[in-house]
């Protein structure tokens, strides 16, 4: 049995280092036993801890291997039960900052930004080019630099801010969101396209998720078989479970 890490490709240098270290440990082991240290309470307690930890690690590896065996039926069931998770949208995002850093009255700047964002939202809803109307919005607010692109590509619900994800995914292609009041900006989202990924496209993702859930359930069952009773006096706490 190799004492090197499982699956790790050992170089000749690594093997030689392990061999020398092991020989040194054996000499120390022999000297320690001659002194009777293997009969000490400290040694016994340490060995109990190491044995428990080693067995726990081996058990986890076994459970990981067993959980990683995901059947076609499990893949199909997970896909059917999580269809919204596999939807994607291609969106554009119009952003108007609430502060132009010009020293103007911040409240007035924010009110102007909200008003302009509402106007631009209506224009976006009528199909006007998002890049152009965002440039005009920046100019109206006194920004002279180029604004960020409105094209932010494709997103899934999990990749969007939680406060806007539901609304965006309720939109149809061509629809725009309401004016979102985000931390630093007023934002309008426009859905350009919407589709659902096929089961085959997300197959590897599903396998990982199903394996993860199976492992978590198995570990929870194992952990539930033990109830720890802690000595409150030892830990210096008023109470302990």
């Amino acid at each position: 049995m190799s004492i090197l890490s499982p699956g790790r490709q050992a170089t000749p240098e690594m093997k030689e280092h392990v061999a020398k270290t092991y020989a040194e440990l054996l000499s120390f082991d022999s000297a320690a036993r001659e002194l009777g240290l293997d009969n000490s309470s400290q040694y016994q307690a340490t060995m109990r801890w190491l044995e428990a930890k080693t067995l726990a690690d081996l058990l986890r590896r076994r459970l990981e291997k067993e959980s990683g065996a995901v059947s076609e039926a499990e893949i199909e069931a997970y896909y059917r039960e999580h269809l919204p998770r596999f939807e994607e949208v291609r969106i554009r995002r119009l952003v108007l900052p609430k502060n132009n850093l010009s020293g103007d009255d911040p409240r007035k700047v924010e009110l102007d930004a909200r008003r302009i964002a509402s106007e631009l939202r209506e224009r976006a809803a009528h199909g006007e080019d998002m890049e152009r109307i965002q440039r005009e919005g920046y100019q109206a607010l006194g920004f002279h630099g180029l604004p960020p692109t409105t094209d932010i590509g494709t997103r899934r619900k999990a990749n969007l801010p939680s406060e806007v994800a539901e609304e965006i995914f309720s939109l149809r292609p061509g629809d725009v969101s309401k004016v979102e009041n985000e931390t630093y900006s007023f934002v309008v989202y426009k859905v350009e396209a919407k589709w659902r990924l096929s089961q085959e496209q997300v197959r590897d993702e599903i396998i990982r998720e199903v394996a993860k859930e199976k492992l978590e359930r198995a570990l929870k069952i194992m952990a539930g078989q033990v109830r720890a009773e802690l000595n409150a006096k030892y830990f210096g706490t008023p109470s302990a479970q």
Side-chain angles (χ1 to χ4, degrees):
M1 181 182 69
S2 174
I3 60 175
L4 295 172
S5 299
R8 185 176 181 182
Q9 188 65 36
T11 64
E13 291 79 10
M14 290 171 59
K15 291 179 179 179
E16 182 178 352
H17 174 73
V18 170
K20 289 180 177 179
T21 301
Y22 186 52
E24 186 177 86
L25 287 174
L26 288 176
S27 66
F28 288 146
D29 174 83
S30 178
R33 291 180 186 277
E34 289 181 5
L35 294 173
L37 295 180
D38 54 327
N39 296 318
S40 67
S41 59
Q42 183 179 8
Y43 173 80
Q44 298 298 331
T46 301
M47 291 306 296
R48 283 196 298 272
W49 168 265
L50 290 176
E51 182 181 24
K53 185 178 185 304
T54 301
L55 287 172
D57 289 343
L58 290 173
L59 174 62
R60 185 181 182 94
R61 290 179 194 172
R62 179 169 178 170
L63 292 175
E64 286 175 348
K65 183 177 181 180
E66 293 175 351
S67 300
V70 179
S71 68
E72 289 298 322
E74 289 174 313
I75 294 173
E76 293 174 7
Y78 188 94
Y79 182 74
R80 289 195 306 270
E81 293 169 8
H82 299 83
L83 286 177
R85 174 175 179 167
F86 304 118
E87 291 182 342
E88 282 190 345
V89 290
R90 184 167 66 246
I91 54 181
R92 287 187 177 272
R93 180 180 61 189
L94 189 154
V95 180
L96 285 183
K98 298 177 181 179
N99 190 332
N100 65 7
L101 304 178
S102 64
D104 296 339
D105 178 13
R107 178 60 179 164
K108 180 180 183 303
V109 172
E110 183 172 337
L111 289 173
D112 287 343
R114 184 189 293 272
R115 173 181 55 79
I116 293 171
S118 296
E119 294 171 357
L120 298 186
R121 180 203 174 277
E122 294 303 313
R123 293 171 62 183
H126 285 87
E128 292 194 43
D129 181 73
M130 294 280 282
E131 295 286 346
R132 178 168 59 81
I133 62 177
Q134 177 159 271
R135 286 197 301 271
E136 293 177 6
Y138 265 58
Q139 292 168 2
L141 286 172
F143 288 93
H144 302 295
L146 288 175
T149 180
T150 62
D151 186 359
I152 61 171
T154 61
R155 293 287 190 277
R156 286 162 70 173
K157 188 176 291 186
N159 305 129
L160 289 168
S162 57
E163 60 271 17
V164 299
E166 288 294 338
E167 181 186 5
I168 290 173
F169 272 82
S170 70
L171 301 175
R172 297 169 299 180
D175 288 349
V176 297
S177 71
K178 67 179 186 295
V179 176
E180 304 289 349
N181 188 357
E182 299 189 1
T183 305
Y184 301 107
S185 310
F186 292 109
V187 183
V188 176
Y189 297 91
K190 182 173 184 177
V191 173
E192 292 195 320
K194 188 176 183 180
W195 62 88
R196 179 180 294 143
L197 297 171
S198 69
Q199 179 176 310
E200 191 58 34
Q201 287 176 298
V202 295
R203 177 185 178 85
D204 291 344
E205 177 184 339
I206 291 176
I207 290 174
R208 288 193 299 271
E209 289 301 315
V210 172
K212 178 183 175 183
E213 290 182 1
K214 291 169 68 175
L215 176 61
E216 289 176 349
R217 286 197 298 270
L219 292 174
K220 186 175 181 180
I221 291 172
M222 293 293 177
Q225 296 175 1
V226 177
R227 182 178 182 275
E229 294 184 2
L230 305 183
N231 186 330
K233 291 182 179 180
Y234 175 83
F235 291 101
T237 55
S239 63
Q241 293 182 349

